[in-house]
Amino acid sequence: MTLADKISNAELEIMKILWREKKPVSFSDIRIELQNTMGWEKSTINTLIRRLVDKGVIAAHKQNVIYYTPNISYSDYSQTEEQNFIDKLYNGSAKNFVAALCQRGKLSEADIDELKDFFKMGGGDE
Amino acid sequence: MSFWETLSAIIRAVLIMSMTGSVVSLLLFALKPIIKNHIPKVMQYYMWLFVLAAFLIPFSTFVSVPVNTPLTPVQNVIEMNVKSNAEWEEQVAQELYGISYEELDDMEKVNVSYRELKARHVGNYDFILTYIPILGVAYFLKELIRYLIYAFKLRSGRLPARKNELALLPQRSPRLYRSSLATTPMLVGLFCPAIYLPDVEYSEVQLQNILRHELTHWRRHDVAVKWIATLAVHIHWFNPFAYFVRREIDRACELACDEAVVNSLDNEGKQSYGDTLIEMAADSKKPMMIVSTTMCEEKKTLKERLASIMHSKKPAKAVIQLSCALLVALLGAIVLVGASSNYNDCSTVENRELRLQTISNLGNETTISQEVVIDDYIISGYTTRNNRYGLAVFAADGDGTYRFQTNINRFDDELVFITATINHKHYNVFWANKADLDYAEVTYTIDGNIGETIKLDAKDNKIIYTDAPSNDFSVEYYFFDINGNRYE
């Protein structure tokens, strides 16, 4: 799962502020704006920010007070969103209308190793 | 035929196809473990395509096989119960009054429409009939639109393929593109097919293997097959077997494709092909967090494909012949199961007999020994198992076909007596199943007045009938054989 997959709709509101400001934003600035626009409680905003930090989506930086910067740019995020949307279309419906080679991205590294060990044609290769 | 009649006929055909397809797919699922490793994958693919045909071709509408299968009673239930409002009204009118619904007077029509609704506890059959196609069409449209959006996005963001990639294409081939949105190489498009490659780096060997695979899909028109299978799943959206069959077709398609590709490869080529498949299935863009192995579906199918490549060999002639024989046998089974419902037209005595045999307490030993025609209705006298015998009434549908209407049976030490309403007239029908019958005597008592005794010929076990009086009556009847024995 990439960084972009980990952002919920509520957390997105915080990301929008960071992307717009294009410079580190303090907790109180975020809080004041969201309390005005969304009517959220301080504790809610606190939780959302903490989650984003834990997931590595934003970075926290202390300079008297804590400032936050995004770890993913808006363009990267929207491209992944688009890819997620496409993937959902494919996995949901489109794959029934096309002839593909295989299913990509569903196997773990250990799975791949297992299959590589498994698939050995005899006769002079080893 | 009115719209509703056509619709109910279509839905009956769909239900029968659904049943045929399900039964045949069960047969193939049962066979699968036996033939899996012994029949060429392409033959197995064709077998599943035959099953798909069973879901889509209504054999019963143009082929008639006068044979009962264990499915026949189910087919009868469908024929008897899936009807539009107008068809139900017509049937009840025939049963109650012996004439068609439009010939009834207003009071009788109200009686029929009211009784029919009340007795069957359901409001509007026409309305219910529409659910099946409407839901199927809506579901299909939703899927189709999602595919079209996907195909559009793929197409609008596509990049040209590289020169070395284009050089690998044969003279006749679909177009080739790269796309950052494609997650696997795929063949897209029904009318203007194109191969889309994920926009990453490929080695020459990988490209060759990928293109061999996709070109095989292209030559076999596998995209059209997928479209047809998806259509079938939505026509039969209510039937879980349709989904199982589509999944089998998908699997068989890939296995058959791999088989065709590796057929012309040596061991080294096969190793390279399998390696390419594994490499394509691995994902370098989004590495999975999970380090341990999974039991997921994708791994199992890929493993199955790899095993098939490892064990691939050119099939012996005998094996090919056996496979063709199996295909023909499967087709025969499909036609047999699918078409054997058509005898519900009871215009021949064989079909009438077959129809009676499907009635639950009658069975295969039911034979018709006598028949009489009253005003274009056929009354059949039959004997059956457990020392029972009886009479069955078949009503004319007007277009030359006949439909089973009602029946009554008794132990053969009793006499059979029914009242049949035919074209607004009432008849009393009598029958006895004794040896050496001579005649019968029937005496009516109408409104308390005892009438004359009517003597009727009963030789050769004829079915006997008289006009029934319209008023209140009671009737006494006796049969006599040539030795003077009397039966009552």
Side-chain angles (χ1 to χ4, degrees):
Chain A
M1 240 198 321
T2 63
L3 284 181
D5 294 334
K6 300 180 193 177
I7 303 174
S8 73
N9 281 347
E11 292 159 356
L12 202 54
E13 297 300 324
I14 295 170
M15 300 307 298
K16 285 186 197 168
I17 299 174
L18 296 182
W19 287 326
R20 187 193 66 215
E21 293 301 310
K22 298 193 213 294
K23 64 183 196 320
V25 186
S26 69
F27 174 80
S28 44
D29 287 341
I30 296 175
R31 177 178 57 81
I32 291 167
E33 179 164 344
L34 286 177
Q35 273 178 332
N36 280 336
T37 58
M38 305 298 284
W40 290 343
E41 298 288 332
K42 181 175 173 186
S43 55
T44 310
I45 299 167
N46 203 5
T47 309
L48 290 170
I49 290 179
R50 195 166 29 89
R51 271 202 230 143
L52 283 170
V53 172
D54 287 343
K55 288 195 272 193
V57 180
I58 63 178
H61 187 71
K62 189 152 183 190
Q63 208 172 24
N64 295 333
V65 293
I66 300 183
Y67 289 85
Y68 298 99
T69 51
N71 280 341
I72 178 173
S73 71
Y74 175 68
S75 60
D76 285 345
Y77 171 75
S78 56
Q79 200 174 42
T80 319
E81 276 293 289
E82 165 110 359
Q83 183 67 52
N84 283 348
F85 173 63
I86 295 287
D87 287 348
K88 269 206 228 138
L89 280 180
Y90 177 78
N91 288 321
S93 316
K95 70 174 192 271
N96 292 319
F97 293 88
V98 306
L101 182 77
C102 58
Q103 286 271 65
R104 181 152 98 167
K106 301 270 174 91
L107 303 178
S108 69
E109 294 220 15
D111 285 336
I112 300 292
D113 289 335
E114 181 189 324
L115 290 171
K116 282 190 178 150
D117 282 334
F118 171 74
F119 180 68
K120 295 220 166 31
M121 296 300 308
D125 269 316
E126 294 303 302
Chain B
M1 282 217 286
S2 77
F3 168 76
W4 294 111
E5 278 178 54
T6 314
L7 182 64
S8 75
I10 290 173
I11 291 177
R12 280 194 294 272
V14 166
L15 289 175
I16 289 175
M17 285 190 286
S18 217
M19 205 176 50
T20 307
S22 305
V23 165
V24 175
S25 67
L26 263 180
L27 181 69
L28 206 49
F29 278 121
L31 273 180
K32 193 178 156 191
I34 305 171
I35 62 174
K36 204 164 73 155
N37 295 322
H38 301 105
I39 307 267
K41 303 293 182 194
V42 65
M43 290 297 188
Q44 296 182 40
Y45 180 44
Y46 288 151
M47 284 180 176
W48 285 109
L49 293 188
F50 276 24
V51 175
L52 186 62
F55 273 102
L56 290 172
I57 302 178
F59 291 101
S60 60
T61 59
F62 50 83
V63 177
S64 179
V65 177
V67 144
N68 280 344
T69 67
L71 281 184
T72 307
V74 183
Q75 285 168 337
N76 276 329
V77 169
I78 294 172
E79 296 277 344
M80 295 284 125
N81 289 295
V82 177
K83 292 186 173 150
S84 61
N85 281 359
E87 286 166 327
W88 278 117
E89 283 168 352
E90 181 64 20
Q91 172 160 326
V92 174
Q94 292 274 7
E95 282 175 15
L96 292 187
Y97 301 100
I99 54 170
S100 74
Y101 183 78
E102 10 182 88
E103 291 169 32
L104 297 176
D105 64 42
D106 293 335
M107 279 302 297
E108 290 164 337
K109 278 185 180 164
V110 166
N111 185 31
V112 164
S113 302
Y114 172 72
R115 263 182 93 120
E116 171 228 330
L117 287 174
K118 192 168 182 217
R120 329 262 170 184
H121 302 295
V122 180
N124 193 341
Y125 282 91
D126 290 346
F127 196 53
I128 293 172
L129 277 183
T130 54
Y131 280 153
I132 294 182
I134 284 181
L135 285 175
V137 166
Y139 185 19
F140 180 71
L141 281 179
K142 176 183 139 194
E143 295 266 288
L144 184 65
I145 288 171
R146 295 178 90 196
Y147 160 72
L148 288 172
I149 295 173
Y150 178 80
F152 176 74
K153 287 212 173 273
L154 210 57
R155 196 192 157 105
S156 46
R158 71 189 177 196
L159 305 161
R162 299 182 187 168
K163 268 171 70 174
N164 66 319
E165 292 160 358
L166 293 168
L168 289 173
L169 293 174
Q171 273 250 358
R172 277 198 69 228
S173 72
R175 293 157 305 149
L176 182 65
Y177 298 104
R178 283 168 156 266
S179 168
S180 54
L181 298 175
T183 51
T184 168
M186 60 178 104
L187 182 65
V188 180
L190 199 52
F191 303 109
C192 294
I195 300 174
Y196 284 85
L197 297 175
D199 192 22
V200 296
E201 299 302 314
Y202 299 97
S203 70
E204 175 101 357
V205 154
Q206 284 176 330
L207 280 170
Q208 281 175 338
N209 287 326
I210 292 170
L211 288 176
R212 279 188 190 120
H213 183 97
E214 295 306 326
L215 286 168
T216 305
H217 275 318
W218 176 68
R219 283 185 211 109
R220 285 191 172 166
H221 306 284
D222 286 339
V223 172
V225 168
K226 295 202 104 168
W227 278 66
I228 294 172
T230 301
L231 185 66
V233 156
H234 292 104
I235 291 174
H236 299 274
W237 58 265
F238 46 84
N239 184 352
F241 281 97
Y243 299 90
F244 290 132
V245 167
R246 178 171 68 174
R247 201 177 56 173
E248 281 307 309
I249 289 179
D250 286 344
R251 279 197 199 137
C253 181
E254 293 307 323
L255 287 167
C257 190
D258 291 335
E259 182 186 66
V261 168
V262 304
N263 236 349
S264 52
L265 298 177
D266 60 10
N267 270 2
E268 201 183 315
K270 291 180 187 178
Q271 179 71 48
S272 149
Y273 179 72
D275 288 340
T276 301
L277 286 182
I278 298 174
E279 285 150 20
M280 289 299 108
D283 192 347
S284 47
K285 263 207 259 182
K286 303 196 291 182
M288 289 276 278
M289 298 301 212
I290 305 169
V291 180
S292 57
T293 60
T294 67
M295 280 312 290
C296 67
E297 185 76 21
E298 288 74 23
K299 183 172 96 168
K300 279 193 258 180
T301 50
L302 187 52
K303 202 164 180 184
E304 188 185 8
R305 289 173 71 181
L306 294 170
S308 167
I309 296 167
M310 285 198 286
H311 300 123
S312 66
K313 57 182 189 287
K314 287 228 163 47
K317 195 162 165 204
V319 168
I320 298 182
Q321 287 170 338
L322 172 69
S323 313
C324 290
L326 269 177
L327 273 177
V328 172
L330 186 62
L331 184 63
I334 292 171
V335 174
L336 187 70
V337 173
S340 63
S341 69
N342 207 24
Y343 67 84
N344 269 310
D345 164 30
C346 296
S347 50
T348 64
V349 66
E350 291 86 12
N351 284 1
R352 286 194 285 279
E353 211 168 71
L354 283 170
R355 177 63 184 86
L356 292 178
Q357 287 172 3
T358 68
I359 296 172
S360 54
N361 64 335
L362 297 183
N364 288 343
E365 304 100 80
T366 308
T367 39
I368 295 177
S369 53
Q370 287 283 337
E371 289 191 315
V372 69
V373 177
I374 304 176
D375 214 0
D376 207 27
Y377 275 48
I378 298 174
I379 301 188
S380 309
Y382 63 89
T383 52
T384 182
R385 61 184 173 200
N386 297 333
N387 299 321
R388 298 187 75 86
Y389 76 117
L391 292 173
V393 179
F394 294 88
D397 268 336
D399 54 352
T401 61
Y402 286 81
R403 183 179 24 88
F404 168 75
Q405 194 180 84
T406 180
N407 100 102
I408 186 173
N409 54 67
R410 296 271 178 267
F411 282 111
D412 58 13
D413 56 353
E414 302 163 17
L415 303 179
V416 168
F417 164 66
I418 61 170
T419 303
T421 310
I422 296 170
N423 293 329
H424 260 335
K425 282 181 67 176
H426 303 289
Y427 297 89
N428 289 335
V429 186
F430 312 86
W431 200 38
N433 191 25
K434 308 285 179 198
D436 301 325
L437 286 176
D438 191 5
Y439 64 95
E441 283 180 357
V442 175
T443 315
Y444 283 97
T445 304
I446 306 174
D447 290 336
N449 299 323
I450 303 179
E452 275 195 24
T453 301
I454 311 166
K455 186 167 156 176
L456 296 156
D457 181 14
K459 286 205 253 298
D460 300 321
N461 289 52
K462 259 168 50 179
I463 299 170
I464 301 172
Y465 64 96
T466 64
D467 290 352
S470 355
N471 309 350
D472 269 342
F473 69 93
S474 63
V475 60
E476 274 183 32
Y477 49 97
Y478 306 99
F479 279 74
F480 297 86
D481 67 17
I482 54 181
N483 300 318
N485 295 321
R486 189 175 89 156
Y487 303 100
E488 57 185 291

